[in-house]
Short mmCIF file of all heavy atoms in Angstrom, two decimals:
data_model
loop_
_atom_site.label_atom_id
_atom_site.label_comp_id
_atom_site.label_asym_id
_atom_site.label_seq_id
_atom_site.Cartn_x
_atom_site.Cartn_y
_atom_site.Cartn_z
N PHE X 32 -23.92 -14.75 -23.20
CA PHE X 32 -23.35 -14.85 -24.59
C PHE X 32 -22.29 -15.85 -24.59
O PHE X 32 -21.14 -15.62 -24.20
CB PHE X 32 -22.85 -13.48 -25.04
CG PHE X 32 -23.91 -12.62 -25.68
CD1 PHE X 32 -24.73 -11.85 -24.85
CD2 PHE X 32 -24.16 -12.64 -27.03
CE1 PHE X 32 -25.73 -11.06 -25.40
CE2 PHE X 32 -25.13 -11.80 -27.56
CZ PHE X 32 -25.95 -10.97 -26.69
N GLU X 70 -35.49 -15.68 -44.44
CA GLU X 70 -35.97 -16.44 -43.36
C GLU X 70 -34.94 -16.57 -42.17
O GLU X 70 -35.24 -16.47 -41.02
CB GLU X 70 -36.40 -17.88 -43.82
CG GLU X 70 -37.71 -17.91 -44.65
CD GLU X 70 -38.93 -17.39 -43.86
OE1 GLU X 70 -38.91 -17.45 -42.58
OE2 GLU X 70 -39.86 -16.94 -44.50
N LEU X 75 -32.76 -14.80 -36.89
CA LEU X 75 -31.71 -14.19 -36.13
C LEU X 75 -32.19 -12.87 -35.46
O LEU X 75 -31.92 -12.63 -34.32
CB LEU X 75 -30.52 -13.91 -37.05
CG LEU X 75 -29.67 -15.08 -37.44
CD1 LEU X 75 -28.59 -14.68 -38.46
CD2 LEU X 75 -28.98 -15.75 -36.26
N ASP X 87 -41.80 -9.47 -40.32
CA ASP X 87 -42.28 -10.09 -41.61
C ASP X 87 -41.21 -10.11 -42.62
O ASP X 87 -40.34 -9.21 -42.71
CB ASP X 87 -43.45 -9.25 -42.12
CG ASP X 87 -44.03 -9.84 -43.42
OD1 ASP X 87 -44.43 -11.10 -43.38
OD2 ASP X 87 -44.16 -9.09 -44.42
N ASN X 107 -34.31 -6.90 -23.14
CA ASN X 107 -32.88 -7.27 -23.17
C ASN X 107 -32.31 -7.32 -24.56
O ASN X 107 -31.28 -7.99 -24.80
CB ASN X 107 -32.63 -8.50 -22.36
CG ASN X 107 -33.30 -9.73 -23.03
OD1 ASN X 107 -34.12 -9.55 -23.87
ND2 ASN X 107 -33.01 -10.92 -22.52
N ILE X 110 -30.49 -5.16 -30.26
CA ILE X 110 -30.74 -4.47 -31.48
C ILE X 110 -31.54 -3.16 -31.18
O ILE X 110 -32.47 -3.14 -30.48
CB ILE X 110 -31.68 -5.34 -32.42
CG1 ILE X 110 -31.03 -6.60 -32.81
CG2 ILE X 110 -32.03 -4.52 -33.62
CD1 ILE X 110 -31.86 -7.64 -33.54
N ASP X 115 -29.96 7.17 -30.52
CA ASP X 115 -30.72 7.66 -29.38
C ASP X 115 -31.28 6.59 -28.52
O ASP X 115 -31.25 6.61 -27.25
CB ASP X 115 -31.75 8.65 -29.81
CG ASP X 115 -31.23 9.97 -30.29
OD1 ASP X 115 -30.19 10.39 -29.81
OD2 ASP X 115 -31.84 10.56 -31.25
N PRO X 152 -16.48 6.39 -32.61
CA PRO X 152 -16.02 7.31 -31.52
C PRO X 152 -17.11 7.73 -30.58
O PRO X 152 -16.94 7.82 -29.40
CB PRO X 152 -15.53 8.52 -32.27
CG PRO X 152 -15.05 7.93 -33.59
CD PRO X 152 -15.97 6.79 -33.97
N LYS X 169 -20.63 6.69 -7.10
CA LYS X 169 -20.05 5.93 -6.03
C LYS X 169 -19.48 6.86 -4.92
O LYS X 169 -19.47 6.50 -3.75
CB LYS X 169 -18.97 4.93 -6.51
CG LYS X 169 -19.58 3.74 -7.23
CD LYS X 169 -18.53 2.75 -7.58
CE LYS X 169 -19.18 1.48 -8.24
NZ LYS X 169 -20.07 0.74 -7.28
N ARG X 172 -22.37 12.03 -2.12
CA ARG X 172 -23.12 11.90 -0.86
C ARG X 172 -24.61 11.84 -1.22
O ARG X 172 -25.40 11.13 -0.59
CB ARG X 172 -22.88 13.18 -0.07
CG ARG X 172 -21.48 13.22 0.52
CD ARG X 172 -21.19 12.06 1.46
NE ARG X 172 -19.90 12.28 2.19
CZ ARG X 172 -19.39 11.37 2.93
NH1 ARG X 172 -20.04 10.21 3.15
NH2 ARG X 172 -18.22 11.53 3.53
N THR X 232 -11.76 2.43 2.31
CA THR X 232 -12.69 2.85 1.21
C THR X 232 -13.05 4.27 1.36
O THR X 232 -13.01 5.06 0.35
CB THR X 232 -13.91 1.97 1.21
OG1 THR X 232 -13.52 0.55 0.97
CG2 THR X 232 -14.85 2.43 0.14
N VAL X 241 -11.55 15.26 -3.51
CA VAL X 241 -10.69 16.43 -3.47
C VAL X 241 -9.93 16.55 -4.82
O VAL X 241 -9.79 17.66 -5.33
CB VAL X 241 -9.64 16.31 -2.35
CG1 VAL X 241 -8.57 17.44 -2.47
CG2 VAL X 241 -10.36 16.27 -0.96
N SER X 285 4.34 8.68 16.35
CA SER X 285 3.72 8.04 17.46
C SER X 285 4.64 7.02 18.13
O SER X 285 4.66 6.96 19.40
CB SER X 285 2.46 7.33 16.93
OG SER X 285 1.80 6.68 18.04
N GLU X 293 8.32 5.58 27.32
CA GLU X 293 8.87 4.38 27.91
C GLU X 293 10.18 4.68 28.59
O GLU X 293 10.42 4.30 29.76
CB GLU X 293 9.16 3.41 26.82
CG GLU X 293 9.84 2.11 27.26
CD GLU X 293 10.19 1.15 26.11
OE1 GLU X 293 9.69 1.38 24.98
OE2 GLU X 293 11.05 0.26 26.39
N LYS X 297 11.25 4.73 32.74
CA LYS X 297 12.46 3.99 33.32
C LYS X 297 13.33 4.88 34.13
O LYS X 297 13.80 4.56 35.22
CB LYS X 297 13.24 3.31 32.21
CG LYS X 297 12.57 2.17 31.53
CD LYS X 297 13.41 1.56 30.44
CE LYS X 297 12.75 0.34 29.78
NZ LYS X 297 13.54 -0.20 28.73
N ALA X 315 20.97 9.96 59.05
CA ALA X 315 22.32 10.10 59.53
C ALA X 315 22.56 11.46 60.14
O ALA X 315 23.34 11.55 61.09
CB ALA X 315 23.19 9.98 58.18
N LEU X 328 32.13 7.28 74.17
CA LEU X 328 32.92 6.79 73.01
C LEU X 328 32.35 5.52 72.41
O LEU X 328 32.24 5.46 71.20
CB LEU X 328 34.39 6.57 73.47
CG LEU X 328 35.32 6.16 72.29
CD1 LEU X 328 35.32 7.16 71.19
CD2 LEU X 328 36.74 5.89 72.84
N LEU X 333 29.56 3.12 67.53
CA LEU X 333 28.44 2.43 66.96
C LEU X 333 27.78 3.35 65.88
O LEU X 333 27.37 2.85 64.82
CB LEU X 333 27.45 2.05 68.01
CG LEU X 333 27.91 0.81 68.89
CD1 LEU X 333 26.90 0.61 70.00
CD2 LEU X 333 28.18 -0.39 68.08
N LYS X 424 37.95 13.67 72.66
CA LYS X 424 39.35 13.97 72.23
C LYS X 424 40.36 13.30 73.14
O LYS X 424 41.36 12.72 72.65
CB LYS X 424 39.50 15.47 72.17
CG LYS X 424 40.85 15.89 71.57
CD LYS X 424 40.88 17.45 71.43
CE LYS X 424 42.16 17.84 70.84
NZ LYS X 424 42.22 19.43 70.71
#
Side-chain angles (χ1 to χ4, degrees):
F32 276 81
E70 291 295 341
L75 287 174
D87 182 55
N107 61 350
I110 299 172
D115 285 329
K169 284 186 176 296
R172 293 295 186 188
T232 299
V241 173
S285 177
E293 177 187 345
K297 291 180 179 179
L328 182 60
L333 289 175
K424 188 174 181 179

